[in-house]
Short mmCIF file of all heavy atoms in Angstrom, two decimals:
data_model
loop_
_atom_site.label_atom_id
_atom_site.label_comp_id
_atom_site.label_asym_id
_atom_site.label_seq_id
_atom_site.Cartn_x
_atom_site.Cartn_y
_atom_site.Cartn_z
N ILE A 1101 43.99 15.87 -61.68
CA ILE A 1101 44.62 15.35 -60.47
C ILE A 1101 44.42 13.83 -60.44
O ILE A 1101 43.30 13.34 -60.59
CB ILE A 1101 44.04 15.99 -59.20
CG1 ILE A 1101 44.29 17.50 -59.22
CG2 ILE A 1101 44.64 15.35 -57.95
CD1 ILE A 1101 43.62 18.27 -58.11
N VAL A 1102 45.53 13.11 -60.28
CA VAL A 1102 45.49 11.65 -60.21
C VAL A 1102 46.27 11.20 -58.98
O VAL A 1102 47.13 11.92 -58.48
CB VAL A 1102 46.07 10.99 -61.48
CG1 VAL A 1102 45.20 11.27 -62.69
CG2 VAL A 1102 47.50 11.42 -61.73
N GLY A 1103 45.96 10.01 -58.51
CA GLY A 1103 46.71 9.43 -57.41
C GLY A 1103 47.94 8.70 -57.93
O GLY A 1103 48.17 8.62 -59.14
N TYR A 1104 48.70 8.12 -57.02
CA TYR A 1104 49.90 7.38 -57.43
C TYR A 1104 49.53 6.08 -58.15
O TYR A 1104 50.35 5.49 -58.85
CB TYR A 1104 50.82 7.10 -56.24
CG TYR A 1104 50.29 6.09 -55.26
CD1 TYR A 1104 50.52 4.73 -55.44
CD2 TYR A 1104 49.56 6.49 -54.14
CE1 TYR A 1104 50.04 3.80 -54.54
CE2 TYR A 1104 49.08 5.56 -53.24
CZ TYR A 1104 49.32 4.22 -53.44
OH TYR A 1104 48.83 3.31 -52.55
N ALA A 1105 48.28 5.64 -58.01
CA ALA A 1105 47.77 4.47 -58.73
C ALA A 1105 46.38 4.83 -59.24
O ALA A 1105 45.58 5.43 -58.53
CB ALA A 1105 47.71 3.26 -57.82
N GLU A 1106 46.12 4.47 -60.48
CA GLU A 1106 44.83 4.76 -61.11
C GLU A 1106 44.45 3.63 -62.04
O GLU A 1106 45.25 2.74 -62.32
CB GLU A 1106 44.90 6.07 -61.93
CG GLU A 1106 45.05 7.32 -61.12
CD GLU A 1106 43.82 7.68 -60.29
OE1 GLU A 1106 42.72 7.14 -60.52
OE2 GLU A 1106 43.97 8.53 -59.40
N LYS A 1107 43.22 3.67 -62.54
CA LYS A 1107 42.78 2.79 -63.61
C LYS A 1107 43.04 3.53 -64.92
O LYS A 1107 42.73 4.72 -65.04
CB LYS A 1107 41.28 2.52 -63.51
CG LYS A 1107 40.93 1.18 -62.97
CD LYS A 1107 39.45 0.95 -63.18
CE LYS A 1107 38.81 0.59 -61.88
NZ LYS A 1107 37.37 0.46 -62.00
N THR A 1108 43.57 2.82 -65.89
CA THR A 1108 43.78 3.38 -67.22
C THR A 1108 43.04 2.50 -68.22
O THR A 1108 43.08 1.28 -68.11
CB THR A 1108 45.28 3.40 -67.58
OG1 THR A 1108 45.97 4.19 -66.61
CG2 THR A 1108 45.51 3.99 -68.95
N ARG A 1109 42.37 3.12 -69.18
CA ARG A 1109 41.70 2.37 -70.23
C ARG A 1109 42.60 2.35 -71.46
O ARG A 1109 43.12 3.37 -71.88
CB ARG A 1109 40.35 3.01 -70.56
CG ARG A 1109 39.53 2.19 -71.55
CD ARG A 1109 38.06 2.57 -71.52
NE ARG A 1109 37.51 2.26 -70.21
CZ ARG A 1109 36.64 3.05 -69.56
NH1 ARG A 1109 36.24 4.18 -70.09
NH2 ARG A 1109 36.18 2.71 -68.38
N ILE A 1110 42.79 1.14 -72.01
CA ILE A 1110 43.66 0.94 -73.17
C ILE A 1110 42.80 0.81 -74.42
O ILE A 1110 41.79 0.10 -74.42
CB ILE A 1110 44.49 -0.35 -72.99
CG1 ILE A 1110 45.38 -0.24 -71.76
CG2 ILE A 1110 45.30 -0.64 -74.24
CD1 ILE A 1110 46.05 -1.55 -71.42
N TYR A 1111 43.24 1.49 -75.49
CA TYR A 1111 42.59 1.38 -76.80
C TYR A 1111 43.63 0.94 -77.81
O TYR A 1111 44.75 1.44 -77.77
CB TYR A 1111 42.02 2.74 -77.22
CG TYR A 1111 40.88 3.20 -76.36
CD1 TYR A 1111 41.12 3.93 -75.20
CD2 TYR A 1111 39.57 2.88 -76.70
CE1 TYR A 1111 40.07 4.34 -74.39
CE2 TYR A 1111 38.53 3.30 -75.88
CZ TYR A 1111 38.78 4.03 -74.74
OH TYR A 1111 37.75 4.44 -73.94
N PRO A 1112 43.31 0.01 -78.71
CA PRO A 1112 42.00 -0.61 -78.88
C PRO A 1112 41.73 -1.62 -77.77
O PRO A 1112 42.64 -2.02 -77.06
CB PRO A 1112 42.12 -1.31 -80.24
CG PRO A 1112 43.57 -1.61 -80.38
CD PRO A 1112 44.29 -0.51 -79.67
N GLY A 1113 40.48 -2.02 -77.68
CA GLY A 1113 40.10 -3.04 -76.73
C GLY A 1113 39.31 -2.55 -75.54
O GLY A 1113 38.61 -3.32 -74.92
N GLU A 1114 39.43 -1.25 -75.20
CA GLU A 1114 38.72 -0.67 -74.07
C GLU A 1114 38.85 -1.52 -72.81
O GLU A 1114 37.88 -1.81 -72.12
CB GLU A 1114 37.25 -0.43 -74.42
CG GLU A 1114 37.08 0.56 -75.53
CD GLU A 1114 35.64 0.92 -75.78
OE1 GLU A 1114 34.89 1.11 -74.80
OE2 GLU A 1114 35.26 1.02 -76.96
N LEU A 1115 40.07 -1.89 -72.50
CA LEU A 1115 40.36 -2.72 -71.35
C LEU A 1115 40.93 -1.84 -70.24
O LEU A 1115 41.87 -1.08 -70.46
CB LEU A 1115 41.38 -3.79 -71.75
CG LEU A 1115 41.56 -4.97 -70.84
CD1 LEU A 1115 40.29 -5.83 -70.82
CD2 LEU A 1115 42.72 -5.82 -71.30
N ASP A 1116 40.36 -1.92 -69.03
CA ASP A 1116 40.85 -1.14 -67.89
C ASP A 1116 41.90 -1.93 -67.13
O ASP A 1116 41.67 -3.10 -66.80
CB ASP A 1116 39.71 -0.79 -66.93
CG ASP A 1116 38.75 0.24 -67.51
OD1 ASP A 1116 39.05 0.81 -68.57
OD2 ASP A 1116 37.70 0.48 -66.88
N VAL A 1117 43.04 -1.31 -66.86
CA VAL A 1117 44.11 -1.96 -66.10
C VAL A 1117 44.55 -1.06 -64.95
O VAL A 1117 44.47 0.16 -65.03
CB VAL A 1117 45.33 -2.32 -66.98
CG1 VAL A 1117 44.97 -3.35 -68.02
CG2 VAL A 1117 45.93 -1.10 -67.62
N ARG A 1118 45.01 -1.69 -63.86
CA ARG A 1118 45.58 -0.95 -62.74
C ARG A 1118 46.92 -0.36 -63.18
O ARG A 1118 47.73 -1.05 -63.77
CB ARG A 1118 45.78 -1.86 -61.53
CG ARG A 1118 44.50 -2.25 -60.85
CD ARG A 1118 44.73 -3.07 -59.58
NE ARG A 1118 45.98 -3.78 -59.48
CZ ARG A 1118 46.20 -5.04 -59.85
NH1 ARG A 1118 45.23 -5.74 -60.37
NH2 ARG A 1118 47.38 -5.60 -59.68
N THR A 1119 47.14 0.90 -62.84
CA THR A 1119 48.31 1.61 -63.33
C THR A 1119 49.03 2.32 -62.21
O THR A 1119 48.41 2.96 -61.37
CB THR A 1119 47.88 2.67 -64.38
OG1 THR A 1119 47.19 1.99 -65.44
CG2 THR A 1119 49.07 3.41 -64.94
N ARG A 1120 50.33 2.23 -62.23
CA ARG A 1120 51.19 3.00 -61.32
C ARG A 1120 51.60 4.26 -62.07
O ARG A 1120 52.11 4.19 -63.18
CB ARG A 1120 52.42 2.16 -60.96
CG ARG A 1120 53.44 2.90 -60.18
CD ARG A 1120 53.11 2.84 -58.72
NE ARG A 1120 54.28 3.31 -57.98
CZ ARG A 1120 54.22 3.80 -56.79
NH1 ARG A 1120 53.06 3.86 -56.18
NH2 ARG A 1120 55.27 4.21 -56.17
N VAL A 1121 51.36 5.41 -61.48
CA VAL A 1121 51.75 6.69 -62.08
C VAL A 1121 53.16 6.99 -61.57
O VAL A 1121 53.38 7.10 -60.37
CB VAL A 1121 50.76 7.81 -61.69
CG1 VAL A 1121 51.20 9.14 -62.24
CG2 VAL A 1121 49.35 7.45 -62.17
N ASP A 1122 54.11 7.09 -62.50
CA ASP A 1122 55.52 7.19 -62.14
C ASP A 1122 56.15 8.40 -62.82
O ASP A 1122 56.49 8.34 -64.00
CB ASP A 1122 56.26 5.92 -62.54
CG ASP A 1122 57.70 5.88 -62.08
OD1 ASP A 1122 58.22 6.92 -61.61
OD2 ASP A 1122 58.31 4.80 -62.19
N THR A 1123 56.33 9.48 -62.05
CA THR A 1123 56.91 10.70 -62.63
C THR A 1123 58.40 10.54 -62.91
O THR A 1123 58.99 11.37 -63.60
CB THR A 1123 56.69 11.91 -61.70
OG1 THR A 1123 57.31 11.64 -60.44
CG2 THR A 1123 55.20 12.18 -61.51
N GLY A 1124 59.00 9.48 -62.42
CA GLY A 1124 60.42 9.23 -62.68
C GLY A 1124 60.66 8.47 -63.96
O GLY A 1124 61.79 8.41 -64.46
N ALA A 1125 59.62 7.87 -64.53
CA ALA A 1125 59.76 7.11 -65.77
C ALA A 1125 59.42 8.01 -66.96
O ALA A 1125 58.55 8.87 -66.86
CB ALA A 1125 58.83 5.91 -65.76
N ARG A 1126 60.09 7.78 -68.06
CA ARG A 1126 59.79 8.56 -69.26
C ARG A 1126 58.67 7.89 -70.06
O ARG A 1126 57.71 8.53 -70.46
CB ARG A 1126 61.04 8.72 -70.13
CG ARG A 1126 60.84 9.69 -71.28
CD ARG A 1126 62.12 9.96 -72.06
NE ARG A 1126 62.65 8.80 -72.75
CZ ARG A 1126 62.20 8.36 -73.92
NH1 ARG A 1126 61.20 8.96 -74.52
NH2 ARG A 1126 62.74 7.30 -74.49
N LEU A 1127 58.80 6.60 -70.30
CA LEU A 1127 57.84 5.88 -71.12
C LEU A 1127 56.82 5.12 -70.28
O LEU A 1127 57.07 4.82 -69.11
CB LEU A 1127 58.56 4.86 -72.01
CG LEU A 1127 59.45 5.40 -73.11
CD1 LEU A 1127 60.16 4.25 -73.81
CD2 LEU A 1127 58.64 6.20 -74.11
N ALA A 1128 55.72 4.78 -70.91
CA ALA A 1128 54.74 3.88 -70.30
C ALA A 1128 55.19 2.46 -70.60
O ALA A 1128 55.82 2.19 -71.62
CB ALA A 1128 53.36 4.14 -70.89
N SER A 1129 54.86 1.53 -69.70
CA SER A 1129 55.12 0.12 -69.96
C SER A 1129 53.89 -0.68 -69.54
O SER A 1129 53.17 -0.30 -68.63
CB SER A 1129 56.38 -0.36 -69.24
OG SER A 1129 56.22 -0.30 -67.85
N LEU A 1130 53.67 -1.79 -70.24
CA LEU A 1130 52.46 -2.59 -70.05
C LEU A 1130 52.84 -4.05 -69.92
O LEU A 1130 53.62 -4.58 -70.72
CB LEU A 1130 51.53 -2.40 -71.25
CG LEU A 1130 50.25 -3.22 -71.28
CD1 LEU A 1130 49.34 -2.85 -70.11
CD2 LEU A 1130 49.53 -3.01 -72.60
N HIS A 1131 52.28 -4.69 -68.89
CA HIS A 1131 52.48 -6.13 -68.71
C HIS A 1131 51.71 -6.86 -69.81
O HIS A 1131 50.51 -6.66 -70.00
CB HIS A 1131 51.96 -6.59 -67.34
CG HIS A 1131 51.90 -8.08 -67.23
ND1 HIS A 1131 53.03 -8.87 -67.23
CD2 HIS A 1131 50.85 -8.93 -67.13
CE1 HIS A 1131 52.67 -10.13 -67.14
NE2 HIS A 1131 51.35 -10.20 -67.07
N CYS A 1132 52.43 -7.70 -70.53
CA CYS A 1132 51.82 -8.50 -71.59
C CYS A 1132 52.30 -9.92 -71.48
O CYS A 1132 53.40 -10.20 -71.00
CB CYS A 1132 52.23 -7.97 -72.96
SG CYS A 1132 51.72 -6.29 -73.26
N GLU A 1133 51.47 -10.82 -71.94
CA GLU A 1133 51.83 -12.23 -72.04
C GLU A 1133 51.90 -12.59 -73.50
O GLU A 1133 51.30 -11.91 -74.35
CB GLU A 1133 50.79 -13.09 -71.31
CG GLU A 1133 50.69 -12.76 -69.84
CD GLU A 1133 49.47 -13.38 -69.19
OE1 GLU A 1133 48.54 -13.82 -69.90
OE2 GLU A 1133 49.44 -13.41 -67.95
#
Side-chain angles (χ1 to χ4, degrees):
I1101 298 173
V1102 294
Y1104 71 87
E1106 291 292 345
K1107 256 191 234 175
T1108 301
R1109 186 161 296 140
I1110 299 171
Y1111 293 88
E1114 297 187 42
L1115 196 67
D1116 289 351
V1117 295
R1118 288 185 337 267
T1119 302
R1120 173 86 167 156
V1121 177
D1122 186 349
T1123 60
R1126 189 174 65 81
L1127 292 176
S1129 64
L1130 176 64
H1131 169 67
C1132 299
E1133 299 167 345

